[in-house]
Amino acid sequence: MRAAIALLTLFFAGPALAQTVVTSSAPESVAVTVYRDPDRGDGGIDANRPSGFALVTEKRRITLPAGDATIRFEGVMDGMIAVSAVVTGLPGGVIQKNRDAQLLSPAALLDGTLGNRVHLRRTNRATATVREQDAVIRSGPDNAVVLQTAEGFEGLRCSGLPEGLSYDAIPSGLSAKPTLSVTTSSPQGVTADVTLTYLATGFDWAANYVVRVAPDGRTLDLFAWLTVANGNSISLPDAQLLAVAGRLNRESDYDAIDGQPHSAYLSLRCWPLPRYDLTPDGGYPPPSPPPPAAPAPIMMRAEAMEDVVVTGSRIARQEDLGDLKLYRVPMQVDVNANGQKQVALLQRATVPFTLFYAADILAEDEDDTPRPLKRMIRMQNETKGGLGLPLPSGGVAIFAPTHAGESLLLADSRLRDHAIGETVKLDAGESSQHFLTFGRAPESTDDRPVRQLTLSNAADRAVSVEIRIRADDEDQLISKSTKLSRKDGAWLWSTSVPANGTARLRYTIASER
């Protein structure tokens, strides 16, 4: 008899054990490796919609019962790619996994309670009296929300009084946090250290450089921030942060498989009311003029930025990852939801550079309007040149000193990816003292005109200028008044323009077209 009772007890207990749900609310520790958007190029991060991705590794401690159980990993990233999720450390392995698709939101609450009873709470503005009554939701969040009360049908928040809804319970299938559920079967009750690894969209990173030109105008100090963007609604506190530089070969369509939880939009619309602000002819009055724009800042001082002093132990460490570069942040940081994080990426002092002026033109251009030359900074990315390290692409803020000892913003530029050994060129803005003018030389003929380029220098010192002249493959430059070199598929005119002086180049184009 006792054996029969025991068997019956096990028989009826089986289904109950199969329904055991174990919830892991947050990871014990987390590491995130961020990859840049390979299609972004040298542009900046889209702060509203970061389009890179990340590899997230979470360590969680979970207490499992014997037998079948469903484990809910709460607080995973919104952009989690569920098909990429790998769970290790479970004694019974993973039987199946599911991405809980719908998040808790006002729209989801309305949709899940459609046709059911809720409580409508209203406050009288004049008397502050609170009135509560039962209502039934008859139209969901996709349209104007319609309620049925004892007085009839009406739209939510169309009465003109402050009002809200309260619910007796949360509809099934809704989750307050993005959640991944897996089922497992453990041979015995155990506390296991589990690792959850997955790819997630909604991340991106970029380098942001600060260049400070020395007073002698021959060297500069280079500092770079590693800026990481997290476009998810989940924060990663005390995370180990890594970033991968280089163009990663990515063929998967992450937008199609990321499986982000659905959160419907709540639309509250009322029936149109009569307008009493129309003009006598029935039209709308003209809109009010916009407020005056805030005055633009005259200058930006470098001292307004944080005076960063970073020790070597806090600068990201560079490692090789195949042909890519991996940057490991040496301390744990908070990567907050819908925010950006900056940590020190690299730092170099007293880097020698060359200042020159440049322009890129077409060989057949005849625009005689003077155009300013670009101010350019050139460095050699070599150890003997003060650099000698990979430089990820990113924005560059260039500051230069004044005679009064201030450091002011000279240019806001961009830098492409540079490998060790390459020549680094920074666009430091247009010059107001150095110009290029096109024209025809006096000896021009109608059948083959002679073009003339004139460089003018209004400064009190000589400057170096490089003009890149682009021509079609079938065109040739003949009768050059000075020697030109060929570089990167174009003709290069390198010259020195004396202080308060000019320099000229005359050339003729011979075309076979």
Side-chain angles (χ1 to χ4, degrees):
M1 178 64 70
R2 289 179 180 176
I5 293 174
L7 289 174
L8 287 173
T9 301
L10 290 174
F11 176 79
F12 286 109
L17 290 175
Q19 301 301 319
T20 301
V21 176
V22 178
T23 299
S24 173
S25 59
E28 300 275 335
S29 63
V30 61
V32 55
T33 303
V34 184
Y35 295 79
R36 296 184 303 183
D37 174 15
D39 299 324
R40 178 165 53 83
D42 300 336
I45 296 175
D46 184 348
N48 296 321
R49 186 180 174 85
S51 47
F53 61 100
L55 177 67
V56 181
T57 301
E58 302 178 356
K59 302 287 187 180
R60 300 186 183 229
R61 177 161 291 184
I62 301 174
T63 300
L64 296 170
D68 295 343
T70 297
I71 306 174
R72 288 172 50 84
F73 294 95
E74 292 185 345
V76 297
M77 296 294 103
D78 309 2
M80 177 188 194
I81 302 172
V83 296
S84 71
V86 176
V87 181
T88 59
L90 293 176
V94 176
I95 300 174
Q96 64 176 348
K97 57 185 179 181
N98 298 286
R99 180 72 158 90
D100 295 354
Q102 195 168 25
L103 288 178
L104 183 64
S105 67
L109 275 173
L110 275 167
D111 193 35
T113 320
L114 185 63
N116 296 322
R117 192 175 303 277
V118 295
H119 305 287
L120 177 62
R121 186 181 180 89
R122 287 174 172 161
T123 303
N124 190 299
R125 295 181 186 274
T127 63
T129 303
V130 177
R131 175 192 176 196
E132 187 170 307
Q133 63 183 122
D134 290 340
V136 177
I137 299 177
R138 294 303 185 188
S139 178
D142 292 337
N143 300 295
V145 178
V146 177
L147 304 176
Q148 182 180 4
T149 64
E151 289 83 6
F153 294 89
E154 59 179 290
L156 178 62
R157 296 184 183 171
C158 293
S159 65
L161 300 175
E163 58 189 24
L165 297 178
S166 60
Y167 304 81
D168 293 328
I170 297 177
S172 61
L174 296 182
S175 175
K177 301 178 181 178
T179 303
L180 176 73
S181 298
V182 302
T183 56
T184 186
S185 182
S186 181
Q188 59 185 7
V190 66
T191 297
D193 290 324
V194 178
T195 301
L196 170 62
T197 303
Y198 57 91
L199 294 174
T201 60
F203 287 89
D204 206 350
W205 78 271
N208 292 95
Y209 296 86
V210 178
V211 171
R212 297 181 187 273
V213 179
D216 61 7
R218 297 179 179 179
T219 63
L220 56 83
D221 295 338
L222 178 67
F223 180 85
W225 291 106
L226 169 63
T227 303
V228 175
N230 176 13
N232 293 266
S233 65
I234 299 297
S235 296
L236 300 174
D238 295 327
Q240 180 184 357
L241 178 62
L242 304 94
V244 176
R247 186 176 179 85
L248 185 72
N249 182 32
R250 188 182 76 179
E251 297 182 3
S252 299
D253 184 3
Y254 288 169
D255 291 336
I257 64 175
D258 63 0
Q260 290 203 24
H262 173 67
S263 182
Y265 173 73
L266 179 60
S267 174
L268 297 179
R269 291 175 292 178
C270 299
W271 289 276
L273 299 176
R275 295 288 302 271
Y276 299 102
D277 58 347
L278 301 179
T279 59
D281 58 358
Y284 290 97
S288 302
I298 299 177
M299 62 181 66
M300 179 185 293
R301 298 184 55 168
E303 288 77 5
M305 301 178 60
E306 181 181 5
D307 188 10
V308 181
V309 178
V310 181
T311 61
S313 62
R314 290 185 173 271
I315 294 180
R317 296 192 297 267
Q318 177 195 309
E319 305 172 15
D320 290 332
L321 182 64
D323 292 336
L324 306 176
K325 296 298 179 182
L326 174 68
Y327 295 92
R328 186 186 302 272
V329 177
M331 66 282 188
Q332 293 178 319
V333 298
D334 296 335
V335 184
N336 294 325
N338 298 311
Q340 297 187 38
K341 183 72 177 184
Q342 285 190 315
V343 294
L345 178 64
L346 57 90
Q347 188 172 19
R348 289 292 187 270
T350 319
V351 180
F353 72 91
T354 301
L355 178 66
F356 68 100
Y357 296 84
D360 193 335
I361 65 172
L362 293 174
E364 296 183 342
D365 203 338
E366 293 186 359
D367 184 5
D368 59 357
T369 303
R371 65 176 67 177
L373 298 177
K374 291 190 297 184
R375 185 187 300 107
M376 302 294 296
I377 292 175
R378 178 163 49 209
M379 303 173 288
Q380 296 300 322
N381 191 11
E382 300 174 348
T383 303
K384 63 180 180 181
L387 290 175
L389 74 171
L391 299 175
S393 64
V396 184
I398 304 175
F399 292 87
T402 66
H403 294 295
E406 300 170 315
S407 186
L408 304 181
L409 182 66
L410 178 66
D412 187 8
S413 185
R414 298 211 62 82
L415 179 72
R416 66 169 179 84
D417 288 323
H418 282 81
I420 297 176
E422 284 191 304
T423 299
V424 180
K425 294 181 182 180
L426 294 177
D427 185 348
E430 292 184 343
S431 171
S432 61
Q433 294 183 305
H434 308 89
F435 290 86
L436 168 66
T437 305
F438 296 89
R440 291 198 179 190
E443 62 270 23
S444 298
T445 60
D446 294 335
D447 57 339
R448 185 170 290 176
V450 178
R451 290 174 171 82
Q452 177 174 278
L453 304 182
T454 302
L455 300 173
S456 59
N457 176 17
D460 57 1
R461 65 182 183 278
V463 296
S464 298
V465 179
E466 295 181 3
I467 305 299
R468 188 169 178 266
I469 305 172
R470 292 180 286 117
D472 294 333
D473 293 338
E474 59 270 20
D475 293 340
Q476 294 183 355
L477 297 185
I478 60 176
S479 303
K480 302 183 290 289
S481 61
T482 187
K483 183 179 179 180
L484 303 180
S485 60
R486 191 75 172 173
K487 186 175 181 180
D488 298 331
W491 297 99
L492 184 64
W493 178 30
S494 300
T495 187
S496 176
V497 184
N500 299 305
T502 59
R504 290 183 176 85
L505 167 67
R506 293 185 178 91
Y507 62 87
T508 303
I509 298 177
S511 177
E512 298 179 359
R513 290 175 294 175

